């Protein structure tokens, strides 16, 4: 099973918003990423719309030829309403507070089990696959299964942070977390701070990763190598392992 690459285009929107205009077009970027080989498009509209706007989500939904993944915190009613309106293939539930610079932790699936089960049911009723953002902690991943979620997304910042010092140690908790996910019948996604250097080892070593969502490093690389070439480089990193 080859891991799918979902390109997170948040940072295209960051650049667009920085001048108050419409350039670069986020919609065109989504169209092009799919044409260049992305297996999906991911966005993470935050309550302050610092990059992706809710209007972007509505427009992108109309040009999706791959898979659309919308990330966000369902404790924001506006987010839930948007997802139910847009009906992406997947919603990824991320427990970010509104003012966070970026995502930096997964759900406490033990404490939030009832809440997450209720929200999973809401999105399932709309025919939307659910993925829950979790740290690579075996007990947390096991508890995610009690919510009825389809998948967990393993939060990979810790892996990326420690990759250079020793990739075997950096990936160990993710291998175990993935094994627990599989044992509990959960699909496995992964994301955050993955890049061209650390990606192949992760997808080669962690079993049954169905999808990685990558944005910040990929868009930064695209400034040097071009978007089409960069997407192909990331796809080859996965294929080469
Ligand atoms: C959930 C996750 O790890 C990423 O989608 C992250 O939320 C990216 O958000 P920013 O692009 O706002 O950093
Ligand atoms: N879910 C992770 C994601 O969508 C992108 O994270 P990053 O590559 O921008 O760190």
């Amino acid at each position: 099973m080859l891991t799918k690459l979902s390109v997170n285009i948040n940072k295209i929107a960051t650049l667009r918003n920085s001048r108050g205009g419409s350039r670069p077009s986020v919609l065109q970027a989504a169209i092009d990423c799919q044409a260049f080989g992305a297996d999906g498009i991911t966005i993470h509209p935050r309550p302050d719309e610092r990059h992706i706007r809710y209007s972007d989500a509505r427009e992108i939904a109309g040009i999706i030829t791959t898979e659309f993944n919308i990330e966000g915190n369902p404790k924001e009613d506006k987010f839930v309403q948007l997802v139910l309106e847009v009906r992406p293939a997947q919603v990824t539930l991320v427990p970010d507070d509104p003012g966070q610079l970026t995502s930096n932790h997964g759900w406490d699936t033990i404490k939030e089990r009832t809440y997450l089960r209720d929200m999973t049911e809401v999105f399932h009723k709309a025919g939307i696959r659910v993925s829950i953002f979790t740290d690579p902690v075996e007990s947390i991943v096991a508890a995610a299964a009690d919510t009825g979620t389809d998948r967990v997304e393993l939060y990979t910042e810790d892996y990326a942070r420690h990759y250079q010092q020793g990739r075997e140690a950096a990936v160990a908790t993710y291998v175990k977390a993935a094994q627990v996910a599989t044992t509990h019948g959960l699909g496995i996604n992964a994301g955050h701070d993955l890049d061209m250097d650390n990606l192949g080892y992760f997808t080669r070593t962690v079993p049954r990763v169905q999808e990685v969502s990558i944005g910040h490093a990929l868009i930064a690389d695209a400034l040097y190598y071009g978007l089409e070439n960069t997407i192909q480089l990331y796809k080859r990193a996965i294929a080469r392992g």
Side-chain angles (χ1 to χ4, degrees), residues 4-9 29-30 32-35 37-43 60 64-69 89-90 129 211-214 218 231 235:
K4 293 183 184 292
L5 171 65
S6 186
V7 175
N8 182 315
I9 57 173
D32 291 342
C33 283
Q34 295 177 110
D39 302 303
I41 297 295
T42 290
I43 60 172
I60 293 166
I64 291 292
T65 56
T66 55
E67 268 213 349
F68 197 14
N69 174 41
Q90 176 176 267
R129 184 174 71 225
E211 173 187 291
V212 289
S213 44
I214 306 176
L218 189 150
I231 288 173
K235 295 266 289 190

Side-chain angles (χ1 to χ4, degrees), residues 6-8 10-11 42-44 69 71 92 94 102 133 153 190-194 212-218:
S6 186
V7 175
N8 182 315
N10 289 353
K11 299 303 164 18
T42 290
I43 60 172
H44 189 149
N69 174 41
E71 300 183 333
T92 299
V94 185
T102 187
F133 197 61
E153 175 174 339
H192 203 93
D193 283 345
L194 292 174
V212 289
S213 44
I214 306 176
H216 194 88
L218 189 150

Side-chain angles (χ1 to χ4, degrees), residues 184-196:
H184 286 80
L186 294 173
I188 303 161
N189 293 347
H192 203 93
D193 283 345
L194 292 174
D195 64 27
M196 206 183 308

